[in-house]
Amino acid sequence: MIDIQDRIRNKTLLDRIVTAEEAAAIIKPNMNVGTSGFTPAGYPKAVPMALAERISKEHFQINLWTGASVGQELDGSLAAVNGIARRMPYQTNGDLRKSLNSGKVNYFDLHLSESAQLTRYGFFGGKVDVAIVEACAITEEGHLIPTTSMGNTASYVQSADIVIVEINTSQPLALEGMHDVYVPLDPPHRQPIPIVKVDDRIGTPYIPCGLDKIKYIVPCDIPDDVRDFAPIDDNSKTMSELAIEFFKHEIKAGRLPKDLLPLQSGVGSVANAVISGFVDSDFKNLEVYTEVIQDGMLDLADAGKLKFASGTSFSPSPDGQKRLYANIDKYRSKMMLRPQEIANSPEIARRIGIIAMNTAIEFDIYGHVNSTHIMGSKMMNGIGGSGDFARNAYLTLFFSTSVAKGGLISSVVPMCSHIDHTEHDVDVFITERGLADVRGLSPRERARVIIEKCAHPDYQPMLTDYLDRAEKATKFAHTPHLLDEALSWHARFLQTGTMKK
């Protein structure tokens, strides 16, 4: 057995140490199981794999609630044995994606800031039955020291009758003190969240739990399943440069302060590349209020350009993880993790003036954004936190390459096949072709600017032709569409393999 006794500070808990199989045995069919984890960071590993092995023999399902996506040991192992009946609020696992796009899993894709409170309200068929939580240590009072993410963990622990704690010895104890745990009261008792600056601390450095709730403690030494980012290619570099030049223009116009406002950046390679672009820029004293702290933010800290970063998860590459762990004492003064309902809070985003930067699968000529669905039907990952920030930010930017599949798909279309963010939420669109600032423009004006600045040359004539004919057919209606053609580009791709005529 892994020696975890030094991490359990109340020795009366030592008799609750069991194997992953013993802990998994307490989970019954159709239970609501809430786990730690936000991206492949800070999620339980040993107990979910033991549960998957049990499900493979007994053939039952659970409802799985997390913070966001998690690693292979959780989503992957349970999806492989058809062990998930319902899943929320976000995922990125390939096997799970296949299951939810083939009717095997009922997936509800949520704004991440809302997911914890909606479970507390009982909107999803009862409360959390069992919480499975990864921790660095357990305090003398029975409180939990989180690891590399906060997510919805504190809320799930608060709601659950039974808590299973995985003490992960691969996670450094030096993470202690990097968390600020605060769960808001629910209506009608809720108070304003008292954050006015990125580095404000309002909670505790541990997750309140208590000795009585802890049913089992499971040793684990499996590291987070972190992943490499795609190399920063020319397209990503160009989009980052366009964003930085736009910010400089806004400063000259008096619409942004010289050190900008707090930055929010979505998950993934493009978002990481955009943040990395600030390393070589003239900006300094940058603040970040976001979901995930990725390699680009470590780069900013190492370059002396980061004033402070608040997130809900450390989600670096394998090399970034090594750098984080090796220099954690240095990063401690610059970084903090909060529960996602605080990290993604629309209230805070609007108060401190977030600059929101997220990626799109596609956007249409009138400024609607599809962040989630391929060809309108198949779920990719989920809306994540992009909606939390997009509608409430000081400035909202969406990024996408102008084409996909080697040019067979245009990312700028007459009408999105699915809409996650409306025209009312977005200020700026950026592709490698250019930047479209659509603030203050009518739909027809937006369309001209988006086509000119963002669409690929192969598709610009087709988009302009559609717009011209739609204006004529509708006698220049407010948002002119040809309804029998609006989704024809997607239909043509599904039929012929290309959006081109």
Side-chain angles (χ1 to χ4, degrees):
M1 179 175 288
I2 303 164
D3 183 10
I4 62 170
Q5 294 192 15
D6 290 343
R7 293 177 180 239
I8 301 172
R9 295 168 189 168
N10 187 315
K11 302 310 176 185
T12 65
L13 292 173
L14 294 178
D15 61 0
R16 301 185 202 181
I17 299 174
V18 300
T19 66
E21 290 73 19
E22 289 176 277
I26 202 170
I27 297 171
K28 304 296 190 293
N30 302 313
M31 272 189 167
N32 297 326
V33 178
T35 76
S36 60
F38 191 108
T39 68
Y43 60 97
K45 303 161 181 78
V47 175
M49 289 193 293
L51 177 61
E53 179 65 24
R54 180 180 156 217
I55 288 174
S56 71
K57 300 171 182 175
E58 299 180 21
H59 307 293
F60 65 92
Q61 293 183 314
I62 62 166
N63 302 317
L64 179 60
W65 303 345
T66 64
S69 58
V70 287
Q72 174 66 24
E73 299 89 347
L74 180 46
D75 268 345
S77 63
L78 290 174
V81 296
N82 194 29
I84 303 173
R86 307 185 73 83
R87 178 72 170 88
M88 78 92 182
Y90 184 84
Q91 57 76 44
T92 59
N93 181 268
D95 289 335
L96 179 56
R97 186 181 299 117
K98 291 177 184 176
S99 293
L100 61 90
N101 280 315
S102 59
K104 294 180 180 179
V105 174
N106 289 303
Y107 173 57
F108 32 117
D109 173 28
L110 298 171
H111 295 300
L112 295 185
S113 70
E114 297 182 327
S115 54
Q117 67 180 20
L118 295 179
T119 65
R120 294 198 301 271
Y121 299 167
F123 287 1
F124 300 147
K127 63 176 185 177
V128 179
D129 294 309
V130 177
I132 311 175
V133 179
E134 178 176 277
C136 279
I138 303 174
T139 72
E140 181 72 25
E141 299 78 20
H143 303 318
L144 312 179
I145 306 300
T147 60
T148 44
S149 71
M150 277 299 306
N152 287 330
T153 312
S155 179
Y156 293 158
V157 168
Q158 175 181 296
S159 301
D161 293 324
I162 295 172
V163 176
I164 298 170
V165 183
E166 279 195 13
I167 298 293
N168 194 319
T169 56
S170 77
Q171 300 281 20
L173 279 170
L175 287 165
E176 185 170 1
M178 297 189 76
H179 309 86
D180 184 51
V181 183
Y182 176 95
V183 177
L185 297 173
D186 293 329
H189 306 293
R190 181 164 295 179
Q191 299 292 313
I193 299 170
I195 291 175
V196 296
K197 302 191 305 297
V198 167
D199 60 350
D200 279 344
R201 281 188 171 270
I202 61 172
T204 61
Y206 53 79
I207 296 171
C209 182
L211 300 173
D212 293 341
K213 273 197 176 186
I214 299 173
K215 179 71 174 178
Y216 295 125
I217 300 170
V218 176
C220 181
D221 62 356
I222 303 169
D224 285 339
D225 182 26
V226 293
R227 307 157 189 169
D228 282 313
F229 296 111
I232 298 176
D233 59 17
D234 290 341
N235 286 343
S236 298
K237 185 177 180 181
T238 297
M239 288 188 281
S240 178
E241 291 170 350
L242 287 167
I244 289 170
E245 286 305 309
F246 170 74
F247 295 144
K248 290 179 179 179
H249 177 269
E250 291 298 289
I251 292 170
K252 289 180 181 178
R255 292 187 288 262
L256 281 175
K258 65 180 179 65
D259 295 330
L260 302 180
L261 289 166
L263 303 173
Q264 177 270 328
S265 178
V267 178
S269 296
V270 172
N272 186 65
V274 170
I275 288 293
S276 295
F278 283 92
V279 173
D280 298 321
S281 74
D282 298 329
F283 291 111
K284 56 186 179 180
N285 296 319
L286 293 170
E287 293 185 310
V288 175
Y289 197 91
T290 192
E291 302 168 301
V292 294
I293 296 175
Q294 302 185 129
D295 290 21
M297 294 173 201
L298 301 181
D299 295 338
L300 286 177
D302 292 344
K305 296 194 172 186
L306 180 69
K307 184 177 179 182
F308 202 85
S310 169
T312 194
S313 171
F314 289 119
S315 189
S317 68
D319 287 342
Q321 184 187 62
K322 292 176 184 176
R323 186 168 26 141
L324 171 66
Y325 288 171
N327 299 281
I328 200 161
D329 289 334
K330 178 181 75 172
Y331 295 133
R332 177 186 307 282
S333 64
K334 299 284 187 182
M335 299 175 185
M336 177 198 309
L337 299 184
R338 309 180 188 272
Q340 69 192 64
E341 60 186 314
I342 307 302
N344 288 48
S345 167
E347 173 191 341
I348 305 305
R350 186 164 292 194
R351 177 181 300 139
I352 67 177
I354 295 292
I355 297 173
M357 300 180 289
N358 291 284
T359 54
I361 290 174
E362 64 181 0
F363 53 90
D364 66 33
I365 58 176
Y366 296 118
H368 303 289
V369 175
N370 172 14
S371 295
T372 58
H373 284 71
I374 305 299
M375 294 295 138
S377 297
K378 290 189 178 294
M379 171 60 69
M380 186 64 183
N381 297 326
I383 195 169
S386 57
D388 297 324
F389 296 107
R391 183 160 291 184
N392 299 283
Y394 181 89
L395 274 172
T396 294
L397 294 76
F398 273 93
F399 296 79
S400 177
T401 54
S402 64
V403 292
K405 294 284 186 183
L408 299 176
I409 293 175
S410 174
S411 300
V412 184
V413 292
M415 180 184 283
C416 284
S417 58
H418 176 91
I419 294 174
D420 295 292
H421 312 284
T422 73
E423 60 185 311
H424 313 293
D425 300 334
V426 189
D427 300 308
V428 175
F429 294 93
I430 300 178
T431 71
E432 83 287 355
R433 304 296 307 175
L435 180 150
D437 181 354
V438 299
R439 292 174 295 178
L441 301 183
S442 69
R444 291 190 298 109
E445 290 174 317
R446 282 199 298 272
R448 298 288 175 186
V449 173
I450 288 172
I451 293 170
E452 176 189 355
K453 299 292 187 180
C454 293
H456 192 277
D458 289 353
Y459 292 97
Q460 283 175 327
M462 295 169 59
L463 290 165
T464 300
D465 174 66
Y466 174 87
L467 178 59
D468 288 342
R469 289 185 295 109
E471 286 180 328
K472 184 177 180 181
T474 63
K475 296 182 170 56
F476 293 86
H478 181 67
T479 308
H481 266 303
L482 302 171
L483 293 183
D484 57 343
E485 291 188 36
L487 295 175
S488 64
W489 290 35
H490 302 86
R492 183 161 55 246
F493 175 79
L494 292 173
Q495 293 165 1
T496 69
T498 180
M499 285 186 173
K500 297 178 181 177
K501 290 183 179 179

